[in-house]
Amino acid sequence: MTLDLTDKTVLVTGGTRGIGRAIVEAASGAGARVAFTYRSSSETANALAEQLGGAERALAIQADAGDPEQAAGAVQSVVDAWGQIDGLVVNAGITRDGLMIRMTPEDWEAVISTNLTGAFHVCKAAYRPMMKQRAGSIVTISSVVGVTGNAGQANYAASKAGLIGFTKSLARELGGRGVRANVVAPGYIKTDMTADLGENVTGHMKEQIPLKRLGQPEDIAAAVLFLLSDASTYVTGHTLHVDGGMAM
Ligand code: NDP
């Protein structure tokens, strides 16, 4: 079975770079009309929308994940443009790493606000249209550290662990309406977010990963595509680890 998203519309938060961009490109390649949000990279966003076929096929929407009105506006733009929202990928995320002893309340707030409260805002906005359609697939992007914890990432790990409980709750609330909600928990993936880790650190990490390599954004996009597609219509409330075996 191929993963076909023809006739579906998908909204991806944080779609201009890294994992989000790979998801946008994969969903578009599978036939979906794809909207994506970004925070600041307007030029990249507009170029990507053009590359995917312009307004008929792709929408670039500037919307800060932590702002409830902008998140709701993004969902509304998809419904206005294409009449429906079939898939929602909650991907936008940030880090503000530091050991607890040095972590400021601002570091904590910024990460929880974007990664976890941002998920609440955009899912709340998509809730009603998806319930009305009696169909939809929500995929949240957590992290291996949401499951294992990580020194220096208390804020980030808390936000990513929170996403798992949040998504399972949505799966329970929305299942009767034909709407599914699942989590993808990536391991270490080569993106801007991990670009600052030196060779020493990544070399050591590879040793800890059963598959002995860091992941690529496309590894995550493939798992998300499965969860958005009709190949997974009996899968909900699941956390799919795409981490080379790190968290088993
Ligand atoms: P990147 O930093 O490479 O890209 C982040 C994307 O999110 C960009 O498109 C950025 O837009 C957007 N973004 C950031 N903040 C906001 C915001 N407040 N509102 C809207 N958009 C925003 O991240 P990755 O691709 O590495 O990570 C994507 C997701 O995957 C995150 O949730 C991350 O936590 C998770 N993840 C990543 C892992 C990794 O190893 N890379 C591992 C596990 C999970 P702009 O360009 O405009 O800033």
Side-chain angles (χ1 to χ4, degrees), residues 12-23 36-42 44-45 61-67 70 90-95 110 113-115 118 140-146 156 159-160 163 184-195 197 214-215 217 220 242:
V12 181
T13 66
T16 48
R17 290 185 282 122
I19 291 170
R21 186 182 181 113
I23 296 168
F36 57 90
T37 66
Y38 62 97
R39 190 179 33 180
S40 54
S41 48
S42 301
T44 312
I61 304 164
Q62 188 164 27
D64 190 322
D67 182 310
Q70 292 182 25
V90 182
N91 166 78
I94 59 166
T95 52
S113 159
T114 299
N115 299 8
T140 59
I141 307 298
S142 175
S143 167
V144 61
V145 307
Y156 182 76
S159 74
K160 294 300 185 179
L163 273 180
V184 170
Y188 287 98
I189 311 299
K190 281 190 183 166
T191 68
D192 294 346
M193 191 179 266
T194 49
L197 302 172
L214 302 192
I220 307 306
V242 186

Side-chain angles (χ1 to χ4, degrees), residues 184-208:
V184 170
Y188 287 98
I189 311 299
K190 281 190 183 166
T191 68
D192 294 346
M193 191 179 266
T194 49
D196 290 344
L197 302 172
E199 261 311 307
N200 260 357
V201 179
T202 53
H204 178 70
M205 271 176 191
K206 282 184 207 162
E207 280 313 304
Q208 314 299 314

Side-chain angles (χ1 to χ4, degrees), residues 158-183:
S159 74
K160 294 300 185 179
L163 273 180
I164 295 174
F166 171 71
T167 308
K168 286 181 178 174
S169 304
L170 290 190
R172 289 187 185 277
E173 282 188 26
L174 291 168
R177 304 295 188 115
V179 179
R180 299 181 294 112
N182 291 286
V183 181

Side-chain angles (χ1 to χ4, degrees), residues 27-194:
S28 177
R33 284 169 289 177
V34 185
F36 57 90
T37 66
Y38 62 97
R39 190 179 33 180
S40 54
S41 48
S42 301
E43 216 171 289
T44 312
N46 292 330
L48 178 58
E50 272 310 301
Q51 176 197 314
L52 299 178
E56 279 293 301
R57 307 283 322 159
L59 283 179
I61 304 164
Q62 188 164 27
D64 190 322
D67 182 310
E69 278 166 23
Q70 292 182 25
V75 171
Q76 194 57 49
S77 302
V78 176
V79 175
D80 289 347
W82 298 326
Q84 65 199 58
I85 176 163
D86 302 303
L88 171 63
V89 184
V90 182
N91 166 78
I94 59 166
T95 52
R96 293 278 187 281
D97 296 350
L99 295 173
M100 267 294 280
I101 193 88
R102 283 192 289 271
M103 187 175 285
T104 64
E106 290 74 24
D107 293 333
W108 173 269
E109 274 304 327
V111 168
I112 298 294
S113 159
T114 299
N115 299 8
L116 184 56
T117 313
F120 167 77
H121 295 319
V122 74
C123 289
K124 189 169 169 65
Y127 208 102
R128 213 177 287 276
M130 282 188 170
M131 278 202 327
K132 264 210 229 150
Q133 291 163 199
R134 301 192 75 82
S137 172
I138 296 169
V139 182
T140 59
I141 307 298
S142 175
S143 167
V144 61
V145 307
V147 179
T148 62
N150 197 23
Q153 290 198 304
N155 50 0
Y156 182 76
S159 74
K160 294 300 185 179
L163 273 180
I164 295 174
F166 171 71
T167 308
K168 286 181 178 174
S169 304
L170 290 190
R172 289 187 185 277
E173 282 188 26
L174 291 168
R177 304 295 188 115
V179 179
R180 299 181 294 112
N182 291 286
V183 181
V184 170
Y188 287 98
I189 311 299
K190 281 190 183 166
T191 68
D192 294 346
M193 191 179 266
T194 49

